Amino acid sequence: MIYHAPIKDIRFALNELADLAAICGLPGYGECSVELTDAVLEEGAKFAEGVLAPINKQGDQGAKWKDGEVTAAPGFKDAWRQYVESGWVGLRAPEEYGGQGMPALVAAAVEEMWCSSNLAFSLAPLLTLGAVEAIHHHASDELKSVYLPMMASGQWTGTMNLTEPQAGSDLAQVRTRATPAADGSYRVSGQKIFITWGEHDMAENIVHLVLARLPDAPAGVKGISLFIVPKFLVKADGSLGARNDVRCVSLEHKLGIHGSPTAVMSFGDNDGAVGYLVGEPNKGLNYMFTMMNHARLGVGIEGVAVSERAYQKAVEYARDRVQSRAVGSPDPAGVAIIRHPDVRRMLMTMRAQIEAQRALTFYAAAALDRAARHPVADEAARNQALLNFLIPIVKGWNTEQANEITSLAIQVHGGMGYIEETGVAQYYRDARITAIYEGTTGIQALDLIGRKTAMDQGAVARALLAEAQSTANKLQAAGFDSAAGNLSAAIADAERCVAFILETFGAQPQLAAAGSVPFLKLMGIVLGGWQLGRAALIAKEKLQDADADSDFLNAKIITARFFAEHLLPQVSGLAAAILNGADSALALDDSQF
């Protein structure tokens, strides 16, 4: 199961659609350039293809738990050693703590390759960087100096400890307690579940970020504080001391991502786990949300990445598998199934969505960089609002469609796809979690219609749709009639749905909520079609160059056309469900289900 990093596609999306050169020119990214990014991508591709991809299948055997200790899946510990020695952990970590401080856009491109080549492995650095983000923004200088250099280097890893057995996504129900100690630290006690890479043997130490309540904390989410709770305590000289009172009591038996240990963590079974308050009391949830855009963008990357891996496997199989004569051919000889129209339809359905998702994801990553670094305050604020709107779409749409795309990969394989030895079933199993963690699709959709659409009266949504309509007009002028017409029709449907949400969110919130996931998917398709429309226009212009890569550029145009003709028409059905059928989702009495 060879993985080939799609370098040319990634570069096109980075340079032509996300404007990498402009991002590298932002203040604080002085070392970044298009040329340096090319070199980073080439080296990242080598590592993904040569180190991570070969151990993906054996990683499916899973990590092992025994007496509170966890042994990483076969090959993972050595791969982590190489990953750390190559400096990949610190790619977007702060420079002042030993990281390279690269833009989120560049990191997103490299992270796609990690996630495609080995999704389970990739979660360890992604969680570590999320923890680095929270500590960097909110912890004291003393805590930063102790933890960030070791985490940025990869010598220590990081986790997020939010969920509890009784709480799930409702963090208002968090019961883990933190009691002040005489030395200024705290003693943390409680249990957390679903902790990705919560225990393992790859790194020297594990830094847990834990949500807990102080004794006098108010009820609900306003009473949650954030604590650093290390696996091993850190001495004054920076060396590791005694084992903290925190342990892994079990690992979950999961559908997929077996190589990523999902731990049940127990804090304070004896004297209390030593923890250190991050920032101010009772602001822990706000601090966690600092890393949420990064985390949800990361999960969106996982969605497109595992889809890319499944697509490559499906194409490989379709080229090799010979079955049945070509449709309409008098020659009885069998042909490779890639020549059968329905197989081609499935492959194009996968390919078109992957390219649209990659483009939209990189577009969002560029907005993240502009929001953080743009020197003009109004432009930074505009990009922050844009990012906030795009994140639930990138996270929700990419991951929902990953379930469909990886399923199509199995379908291309026929019965062989259902056999584990073929390998494609692993991608289907691995993809399933992505639409659940970091907030389910339903949670993303409620966020999209509420905080991201209703609260600003649809301003960002309408601005994006106006940009998309401008692209549709250019497509029409360039002779892409069907793409232009279908994109314009989809935009009109999206505008009607935005108006519907604004009308119903306050007066009939259940009605708006019933159509929220269809709205999220609708916006993903529309904005994905917009990005591919832009790609088609750029490709057509570049075809005029004497040294143009005509095969590659023509493929961009054909892919955009397929998306416009096969996927954009889905918008009308989603819009009808939102505008005319949302109430039917609420019609049955609870007892009738």
Side-chain angles (χ1 to χ4, degrees):
M1 291 178 288
I2 298 172
Y3 166 68
H4 298 288
I7 292 289
K8 288 175 69 175
D9 290 317
I10 288 174
R11 281 180 176 146
F12 184 89
L14 281 177
N15 295 318
E16 307 300 337
L17 300 175
D19 198 359
L20 172 63
I23 297 302
C24 289
L26 291 171
Y29 293 147
E31 297 300 316
C32 179
S33 68
V34 172
E35 294 73 23
L36 175 62
T37 300
D38 279 345
V40 169
L41 292 176
E42 292 289 346
E43 291 304 311
K46 291 177 185 176
F47 194 89
E49 294 169 354
V51 178
L52 298 184
I55 63 171
N56 185 56
K57 185 175 178 62
Q58 65 196 53
D60 202 36
Q61 299 173 31
K64 305 299 181 184
W65 179 94
K66 184 178 180 181
D67 299 330
E69 302 293 333
V70 173
T71 303
F76 276 39
K77 186 173 183 178
D78 185 59
W80 182 260
R81 176 189 59 78
Q82 295 181 62
Y83 190 82
V84 169
E85 290 175 354
S86 300
W88 289 114
V89 181
L91 189 64
R92 62 175 168 91
E95 288 183 275
E96 61 265 39
Y97 295 103
Q100 297 165 47
M102 293 292 279
L105 177 58
V106 175
V110 179
E111 286 165 11
E112 180 192 322
M113 294 189 283
W114 304 153
C115 296
S116 275
S117 58
N118 196 321
L119 182 60
F121 179 94
S122 73
L123 300 179
L126 286 176
L127 267 292
T128 299
L129 285 170
V132 166
E133 187 81 9
I135 294 170
H136 181 236
H137 279 86
H138 302 295
S140 66
D141 289 341
E142 180 182 3
L143 289 176
K144 290 179 189 178
S145 66
V146 171
Y147 291 97
L148 289 185
M150 301 301 287
M151 295 174 74
S153 70
Q155 291 172 267
W156 299 353
T157 61
T159 71
M160 295 166 55
N161 288 250
L162 288 71
T163 307
E164 298 180 5
Q166 80 290 341
S169 296
D170 184 4
L171 296 179
Q173 305 302 318
V174 164
R175 294 177 185 167
T176 299
R177 311 295 295 180
T179 304
D183 62 357
S185 65
Y186 293 80
R187 297 297 176 267
V188 178
S189 59
Q191 188 178 90
K192 298 289 185 177
I193 62 172
F194 302 155
I195 309 308
T196 301
W197 286 98
E199 175 61 26
H200 59 85
D201 63 344
M202 298 197 309
E204 299 170 0
N205 202 5
I206 303 173
V207 181
H208 300 289
L209 288 185
V210 183
L211 291 182
R213 294 186 183 280
L214 294 168
D216 58 350
V221 295
K222 294 182 179 180
I224 298 175
S225 299
L226 181 62
F227 298 86
I228 290 175
V229 183
K231 175 180 176 179
F232 290 98
L233 299 175
V234 184
K235 297 179 182 179
D237 64 359
S239 63
L240 296 182
R243 177 74 180 257
N244 205 354
D245 187 10
V246 51
R247 64 192 182 97
C248 171
V249 298
S250 66
L251 294 182
E252 304 291 357
H253 300 280
K254 304 170 295 186
L255 177 66
I257 55 168
H258 296 149
S260 170
T262 300
V264 177
M265 302 298 299
S266 184
F267 296 86
D269 288 346
N270 297 307
D271 299 326
V274 177
Y276 305 95
L277 180 66
V278 174
E280 299 178 28
N282 305 324
K283 292 188 176 181
L285 194 59
N286 291 337
Y287 297 159
M288 277 295 192
F289 273 107
T290 295
M291 57 194 288
M292 204 57 73
N293 276 341
H294 271 293
R296 289 177 173 172
L297 179 66
V299 178
I301 292 168
E302 292 169 22
V304 68
V306 72
S307 296
E308 170 69 33
R309 185 74 187 271
Y311 166 71
Q312 290 190 19
K313 186 73 175 69
V315 170
E316 177 188 26
Y317 184 81
R319 285 176 174 155
D320 292 341
R321 172 64 166 158
V322 174
Q323 181 173 304
S324 303
R325 70 174 69 189
V327 174
S329 172
D331 187 346
V335 297
I337 64 172
I338 200 169
R339 292 184 57 190
H340 295 320
D342 191 57
V343 172
R344 298 175 75 86
R345 177 196 61 82
M346 288 189 285
L347 293 175
M348 283 300 296
T349 299
M350 299 166 73
R351 177 194 180 112
Q353 290 183 97
I354 290 165
E355 293 206 6
Q357 289 167 359
R358 178 183 292 119
L360 191 61
T361 301
F362 288 1
Y363 189 82
L368 192 159
D369 286 318
R370 288 190 174 96
R373 300 291 183 110
H374 204 285
V376 179
D378 287 349
E379 188 63 15
R382 186 188 71 81
N383 276 278
Q384 185 64 56
L386 172 62
L387 174 68
N388 292 344
F389 184 84
L390 290 175
I391 284 295
I393 299 170
V394 167
K395 196 281 182 186
W397 183 53
N398 287 12
T399 58
E400 283 290 326
Q401 295 314 111
N403 291 313
E404 176 186 308
I405 292 167
T406 54
S407 179
L408 280 174
I410 291 177
Q411 193 73 14
V412 170
H413 282 73
M416 293 303 296
Y418 203 66
I419 306 301
E420 285 289 352
E421 285 77 8
T422 308
V424 72
Q426 181 184 350
Y427 310 137
Y428 182 63
R429 291 186 285 103
D430 285 355
R432 191 60 191 88
I433 188 59
T434 61
I436 297 173
Y437 59 24
E438 293 301 336
T440 63
T441 307
I443 289 173
Q444 304 300 324
L446 289 176
D447 181 47
L448 178 64
I449 67 167
R451 284 190 288 267
K452 309 303 169 57
T453 301
M455 284 184 65
D456 78 344
Q457 293 300 302
V460 175
R462 285 169 169 156
L464 277 170
L465 293 173
E467 286 192 55
Q469 185 57 57
S470 175
T471 296
N473 296 340
K474 292 175 183 175
L475 287 167
Q476 186 72 51
F480 296 117
D481 294 345
S482 64
N486 286 357
L487 181 56
S488 291
I491 291 166
D493 281 334
E495 289 171 338
R496 284 192 287 271
C497 290
V498 170
F500 175 82
I501 288 168
L502 297 179
E503 291 167 7
T504 59
F505 186 79
Q508 297 174 284
Q510 286 194 325
L511 198 61
S516 60
V517 169
F519 178 69
L520 181 150
K521 292 181 177 180
L522 177 152
M523 289 301 299
I525 295 170
V526 172
L527 297 179
W530 165 46
Q531 291 296 320
L532 289 193
R534 294 180 61 217
L537 291 168
I538 292 167
K540 182 176 182 180
E541 181 179 352
K542 285 185 169 294
L543 279 168
Q544 308 306 311
D545 297 343
D547 59 347
D549 186 344
S550 57
D551 286 345
F552 177 78
L553 295 171
N554 278 317
K556 292 296 177 196
I557 293 172
I558 293 168
T559 302
R561 176 187 163 197
F562 181 92
F563 192 99
E565 295 175 352
H566 289 256
L567 295 166
L568 278 176
Q570 295 177 6
V571 168
S572 63
L574 290 167
I578 296 166
L579 299 171
N580 305 318
D583 56 343
S584 64
L586 309 171
L588 287 181
D589 183 81
D590 292 356
S591 63
Q592 294 176 292
F593 280 97

